[in-house]
Amino acid sequence: MKVLVPVKRVIDYNVKVRVKSDQTGVDLANVKMSMNPFDEISVEEAVRMKEAGTATEVIAVSIGPQQAQETIRTALAMGADRGILIKTDDDVEPLGVAKLLAKVVEAESPDLVILGKQAIDDDSNQTGQMLGALLGWPQGTFASEVKAEGGTVNVTREVDGGLQTVALEGPAIVTTDLRLNEPRYASLPNIMKAKKKPIDMKEPGDYGVDISPRLTVIKVTEPPVREAGEKVEDVATLVEKLKTAGAV
């Protein structure tokens, strides 16, 4: 089984995001970047499948600027075999990403595409579903457990009412949730080995995909500061305050 794992370069989750003074977007100057945490989970799952003998090759693919090579190298250090960077300095919307990934799938013919359910920068939660629609492949989203048996992938999904298990006839799309696994830290020897693993350099034009944006960002603002709470002496006082505020 060949597994394709898309990974995205985002602002590190430990960094406090700053909005530009002109409110046109987020300030990325001198900001630490790292792999999207949900994508780390998908890389870990793919590598575990390879270690278990289920997968034969793990390919990491990223769409972004030249610096996205670092994100791919992280995936290679975790255990992926090779990488593909589709280089572009433009912001690519989820539909554009899905179209590019569909072309990569056509070229690489993987048996499984496993990716994070969403990126922590835009929180769109769209790419996996769009990719499944473009390819006509079955999909298992929000996966908390993945088991590949023969040509079938059993995916346990987290839903509002609990857990749902679906059986996907491969090839298939899986998007990962937080509780699927705990990603490993790349060891120094593996980081050194990753430097020798190949990364193919591509551009959107190589796949004949138009990634022109369809949406226009009008304004980006920080969320309002949450007001401090207020303590009350008893339930009666609480109800009275809620009535006064028009909450009940």
Side-chain angles (χ1 to χ4, degrees), residues 210-245:
D210 180 13
I211 59 171
S212 301
R214 298 172 179 234
L215 303 175
T216 302
V217 176
I218 299 174
K219 183 171 64 173
V220 177
T221 59
E222 293 187 5
V225 178
R226 184 175 180 180
E227 297 181 0
E230 181 181 351
K231 291 184 178 181
V232 295
E233 297 177 356
D234 49 39
V235 175
T237 306
L238 173 61
V239 173
E240 184 63 31
K241 284 185 174 292
L242 291 174
K243 287 182 178 178
T244 303

Side-chain angles (χ1 to χ4, degrees), residues 11-163:
I11 295 177
D12 189 90
Y13 68 92
N14 289 312
V15 174
K16 178 176 173 54
V17 177
R18 300 189 306 270
V19 175
K20 293 180 180 178
S21 58
D22 59 3
Q23 297 185 329
T24 58
V26 173
D27 188 3
L28 300 179
N30 301 316
V31 173
K32 181 182 178 182
M33 308 291 284
S34 62
M35 186 190 298
N36 177 45
F38 289 102
D39 295 338
E40 288 183 342
I41 294 171
S42 60
V43 172
E44 174 66 26
E45 192 65 22
V47 171
R48 290 187 184 188
M49 293 173 69
K50 182 184 174 184
E51 291 173 343
T54 305
T56 55
E57 184 180 25
V58 177
I59 306 167
V61 57
S62 189
I63 302 166
Q66 185 72 26
Q67 295 90 327
Q69 277 194 88
E70 301 170 6
T71 306
I72 296 177
R73 292 291 179 196
T74 300
L76 297 176
M78 290 175 67
D81 297 292
R82 59 187 175 94
I84 301 172
L85 173 61
I86 304 176
K87 184 184 173 186
T88 176
D89 292 323
D90 299 328
D91 291 330
V92 187
E93 296 172 354
L95 180 58
V97 173
K99 287 181 177 180
L100 286 170
L101 291 178
K103 293 296 184 181
V104 174
V105 167
E106 290 180 9
E108 296 292 339
S109 300
D111 302 288
L112 179 67
V113 178
I114 181 167
L115 65 161
K117 70 172 185 178
Q118 65 193 70
I120 62 172
D121 52 0
D122 56 17
D123 276 335
S124 292
N125 182 23
Q126 296 174 340
T127 302
Q129 293 89 328
M130 288 179 171
L131 179 60
L134 290 171
L135 295 174
W137 286 11
Q139 55 183 285
T141 55
F142 316 129
S144 61
E145 185 178 5
V146 178
K147 291 184 178 180
E149 300 175 356
T152 303
V153 180
N154 294 317
V155 178
T156 301
R157 305 179 60 243
E158 296 190 351
V159 296
D160 291 341
L163 299 176

